[in-house]
Amino acid sequence: MAIPLFNLAPDLTVSRLCLGTMTFGEQNSLPQSFRLLDKALDSGINFFDSAEMYPVPQRAETQGRSEEYFGRWIRDRNIPRDRVVFATKVSILRLTRFVYRSVSGPSGQMTWIRGGPKSLSATNITQAIDSSLLRAGTDYIDLYQIHWPDRYVPMFGETEYDPSRQFCSVSIEEQLDALGRAVVAGKVRYVGLSNETPYGVMKFLQIAESCPDYPRIVSVQNSYNFLCRNFDSGMAECCNHERVSLLAYSPLAMGLLSGKYLAPDKGPADARLNLFKGRYSEGESRYDLLNAFIGKATKAYLEIAKSYGIHPVSLAIGFVLRHPIVASVVFGATKIWQLQEVINSCEVKLSPETIADINKVHSRFPNPCP
């Protein structure tokens, strides 16, 4: 079975499945990570996503291992660099309720990353790029992404914008200038955003047009799944008209849509929401099955999978893949059989009747996990 491909940029072709590496170095050891990468590449996946702060939950002892493991795999397997697409991200602390904290929860100030980066200054971006290149042992990054905005934005379960929470942030001009210098230096090929809003996408595009040295964003990596279809509001219109592709992360809503957490035993002990209980606050609050709305919605989608005889993973990922603006689905797997389930989803074609039933559930339970 061939994994479909997508032209993300004129000379950047990516597989429509992208293996996320944020478990590498925490849930997955180096040998386990190598086996997952081997299986992915052998199956036709050429697109791999990381971030300087990975793995998660983040801590000083493991920071950067995900990039490091990926780079070691390329070298140990003698894989031609142009055979794989390497994407990674610059991370900063997120200002939430006027307190800086990391995106993965209150597990520290990430002081081990440049002393706790509080902005996307040119210095921070440049140092982050150089450090990622060093850890991965590569000369260039194919797609470099801003992990989340350097400004107040409601995200990870927050839905309402509060103007009083805005703070002084680094200008988009400075961010694009630093990214543009990295492109000119050959360190980065293309740039993208992540966890962005319509305002952010349009401002980055508008400002890039004002200066030929500023790179134009080619993608935005936002959450998209049955339980979070917020992208289809303002973001979809922006991206469609401006030719910015969606890299859809969390297609299984952190595993909820696989059905494993609804098992009598509440899922395997090594499943992320069980293994890191109490250490992954954004994930636990966003994807909380104790929330009746989320629980009922999840069960309804699992019932659709059962009624049509489709594996829940295939239903969830097949739905995301059919979106006309989605370039690739960014997913995680800690085991080979999980990876195979995702790969199998490429064979599934959802009928109009299936889509209609999915949309009926969405109408009853709209976006319970924004």
Side-chain angles (χ1 to χ4, degrees):
M1 178 188 63
I3 304 292
L5 300 175
F6 186 92
N7 292 323
L8 190 61
D11 57 349
L12 186 65
T13 301
V14 301
S15 53
R16 296 208 64 211
L17 294 178
C18 173
L19 179 60
T21 64
M22 75 176 188
T23 62
F24 293 3
E26 182 66 59
Q27 286 178 267
N28 289 112
S29 65
L30 182 64
Q32 291 170 340
S33 301
F34 274 28
R35 286 193 288 273
L36 287 165
L37 291 163
D38 288 340
K39 172 66 176 176
L41 189 63
D42 290 345
S43 300
I45 295 174
N46 75 338
F47 195 12
F48 303 91
D49 180 71
S50 192
E52 64 169 341
M53 61 174 274
Y54 290 169
V56 297
Q58 76 277 13
R59 52 196 178 98
E61 295 81 4
T62 59
Q63 184 262 323
R65 281 187 187 171
S66 297
E67 292 177 326
E68 177 190 343
Y69 283 12
F70 177 77
R72 289 181 63 176
W73 171 70
I74 291 177
R75 294 190 298 277
D76 287 8
R77 298 292 197 256
N78 293 315
I79 296 168
R81 180 61 184 84
D82 60 0
R83 189 182 173 192
V84 295
V85 176
F86 173 47
T88 193
K89 314 178 197 76
V90 56
S91 305
I92 58 170
L93 300 182
R94 185 166 68 89
L95 188 64
T96 303
R97 296 180 182 87
F98 303 99
V99 177
Y100 277 109
R101 66 178 182 177
S102 62
V103 70
S104 297
S107 56
Q109 301 296 309
M110 292 201 297
T111 53
W112 48 88
I113 302 178
R114 300 185 301 282
K118 292 187 173 75
S119 76
L120 286 174
S121 65
T123 299
N124 266 320
I125 290 174
T126 301
Q127 290 180 355
I129 291 171
D130 289 343
S131 296
S132 289
L133 289 171
L134 183 63
R135 281 189 295 268
T138 184
D139 294 329
Y140 63 91
I141 297 163
D142 294 287
L143 177 64
Y144 197 67
Q145 304 155 103
I146 292 176
H147 209 157
W148 54 88
D150 185 356
R151 65 182 193 279
Y152 159 68
V153 172
M155 64 176 77
F156 305 117
E158 299 174 334
T159 57
E160 297 181 1
Y161 181 82
D162 180 358
S164 68
R165 290 169 61 184
Q166 184 55 48
F167 57 93
C168 183
S169 57
V170 172
S171 70
I172 291 175
E173 287 86 350
E174 180 174 340
Q175 297 173 51
L176 282 173
D177 183 66
L179 293 169
R181 291 176 186 274
V183 172
V184 170
K187 298 177 181 180
V188 169
R189 296 182 65 201
Y190 294 98
V191 299
L193 303 175
S194 182
N195 297 301
E196 258 298 359
T197 67
Y199 170 82
V201 169
M202 295 307 296
K203 288 301 289 185
F204 268 88
L205 291 170
Q206 177 191 34
I207 293 172
E209 289 180 355
S210 69
C211 177
D213 295 331
Y214 293 168
R216 189 183 196 277
I217 61 169
V218 300
S219 63
V220 59
Q221 186 176 152
N222 277 22
S223 176
Y224 190 81
N225 55 60
F226 286 148
L227 306 179
C228 179
R229 291 167 62 176
N230 300 61
F231 178 85
D232 287 331
S233 300
M235 283 291 287
E237 180 183 13
C238 289
C239 291
N240 181 55
H241 287 298
E242 299 297 333
R243 304 183 310 283
V244 174
S245 297
L246 173 62
L247 304 179
Y249 78 80
S250 200
L252 297 176
M254 205 171 283
L256 265 62
L257 295 171
S258 71
K260 62 185 177 184
Y261 292 109
L262 290 175
D265 61 358
K266 306 299 182 183
D270 61 353
R272 195 189 328 170
L273 292 178
N274 292 331
L275 182 63
F276 300 127
K277 192 173 183 63
R279 295 176 55 198
Y280 205 51
S281 64
E282 268 87 353
E284 292 175 51
S285 60
R286 188 180 197 181
Y287 300 108
D288 183 7
L289 281 173
L290 295 179
N291 179 309
F293 204 60
I294 296 173
K296 289 178 181 178
T298 301
K299 290 176 183 177
Y301 289 117
L302 294 173
E303 282 298 319
I304 292 175
K306 182 178 180 180
S307 66
Y308 285 98
I310 302 173
H311 194 286
V313 171
S314 293
L315 182 74
I317 291 184
F319 177 77
V320 179
L321 281 171
R322 69 183 295 278
H323 196 292
I325 304 176
V326 169
S328 191
V329 175
V330 185
F331 70 96
T334 58
K335 299 176 177 62
I336 294 294
W337 62 264
Q338 293 174 330
L339 176 55
Q340 186 61 57
E341 284 183 349
V342 174
I343 292 169
N344 292 344
S345 66
C346 288
E347 295 182 330
V348 174
K349 303 297 181 184
L350 302 182
S351 68
E353 294 77 15
T354 307
I355 297 301
D357 285 347
I358 289 169
N359 287 332
K360 287 177 184 176
V361 174
H362 178 63
S363 296
R364 291 166 52 206
F365 307 105
N367 301 320
C369 301

